[in-house]
Amino acid sequence: MTPTAPTQRLRWRRTMAGAACAAVLAVATPACGGAEEPEVETNGLDELAPAEIEERARQAAAEAPTVRLSGTVLVGDSSFRLDVRLGDAGAVGEVSVEGVTFEVLRVGEDLYIKADAAFWESEAIPEELESDPAEKLGGKYVRVAPDDPAYAEVSGFTDKDTLLDGLLTLDGERATSEEHGEIDGMETLRVEGNAGAGGALEVALFGTPYPLWIERGGDAGELSMNDWGEEFSLNPPPEDEVVDYGDAMITEAAE
């Protein structure tokens, strides 16, 4: 029986629709038995000597405009917990020492500390900042003058180059681990100093060779480094929330 004209048109439309779908699928998916997607090449660290890998990581860190640094640093008998975003124009974050925490903010040369009254009454703060009128300082942004002896000590937590220069250092003979690591989903190459006793550094194996993790020698702390190159807000606090630290302020508050 010969199909009627409408039936023929229906079959033609179905045939064309099927062909169109097949064409789309052929473009959207690789052909059966086709070659696999090419592997992404590494940044070349796996072909370098351990000392060169360490140097590449330090160079990448120095050239990056920003980074987030978080972890623990032991200096002498003191333990510091850091969570700070660092940039060329300043820094913002938190620092904990001896069980007390304070916020630190530096915008250009202007350095601020914000903490509760318990912090200002503790023995964990620099001697230069010890003050009786803690209630006046608690909850406020305390502006530390550049010529104040405490400025250099506190601002060290906000200086990207100073912090990284001091942290990204291994001691002893360098060697790379045979097994690759993974930090936040990124494959890394591990460089150790003195078989790990002199510290260890995890460096990104793909893309820019940023250092992503540092274990300091002598069990002196561990820190993660991420958000390389990401922008963050850096604004001075409202003036009505700022207290200028100095002898005049202390005398006034004590009266």
Side-chain angles (χ1 to χ4, degrees):
M1 181 177 179
T2 303
T4 61
T7 302
Q8 289 177 328
R9 287 195 297 270
L10 179 59
R11 288 180 178 174
W12 179 82
R13 288 174 180 171
R14 288 176 177 171
T15 301
M16 293 303 295
C21 290
V24 171
L25 291 174
V27 173
T29 59
C32 295
E36 296 182 358
E37 294 185 4
E39 294 185 1
V40 179
E41 294 185 357
T42 71
N43 51 26
L45 291 189
D46 47 346
E47 300 178 358
L48 300 179
E52 292 179 287
I53 297 172
E54 181 184 0
E55 181 57 31
R56 286 280 300 277
R58 291 175 64 88
Q59 181 179 353
E63 294 176 353
T66 62
V67 65
R68 181 177 182 179
L69 190 67
S70 56
T72 304
V73 177
L74 279 68
V75 181
D77 296 330
S78 300
S79 174
F80 300 90
R81 176 74 187 178
L82 310 179
D83 186 3
V84 291
R85 290 185 176 273
L86 305 162
D88 295 333
V92 59
E94 289 187 346
V95 178
S96 299
V97 54
E98 306 301 333
V100 294
T101 301
F102 63 93
E103 296 179 33
V104 62
L105 170 65
R106 182 174 62 81
V107 184
E109 297 298 320
D110 294 329
L111 176 66
Y112 307 88
I113 297 174
K114 183 179 181 181
D116 57 19
F119 168 82
W120 295 106
E121 293 171 347
S122 74
E123 298 180 357
I125 63 173
E127 293 182 0
E128 295 85 359
L129 290 179
E130 290 181 356
S131 173
D132 291 334
E135 67 280 358
K136 182 176 179 63
L137 304 180
K140 294 287 188 178
Y141 286 93
V142 177
R143 180 160 39 208
V144 183
D147 58 353
D148 191 297
Y151 185 94
E153 182 173 349
V154 178
S155 64
F157 296 115
T158 70
D159 190 310
K160 170 179 169 288
D161 293 337
T162 298
L163 272 178
L164 294 181
D165 283 346
L167 294 173
L168 298 178
T169 301
L170 304 177
D171 295 321
E173 184 178 354
R174 274 63 161 175
T176 54
S177 174
E178 294 183 358
E179 296 184 0
H180 294 174
E182 183 177 307
I183 304 292
D184 295 333
M186 291 178 281
E187 192 171 350
T188 61
L189 196 61
R190 182 181 179 91
V191 181
E192 297 180 343
N194 193 21
L201 187 64
E202 298 277 357
V203 186
L205 186 56
F206 294 87
T208 306
Y210 289 127
L212 302 180
W213 184 268
I214 180 73
E215 298 176 18
R216 305 186 69 215
D219 295 324
E222 300 180 357
L223 298 109
S224 65
M225 291 157 280
N226 50 42
D227 295 348
W228 289 100
E230 294 189 10
E231 295 183 0
F232 61 91
S233 298
L234 195 60
N235 301 304
E239 279 300 321
D240 59 354
E241 298 182 18
V242 175
V243 173
D244 284 305
Y245 188 90
D247 292 339
M249 182 274 296
I250 296 176
T251 303
E252 176 183 345
E255 293 178 351

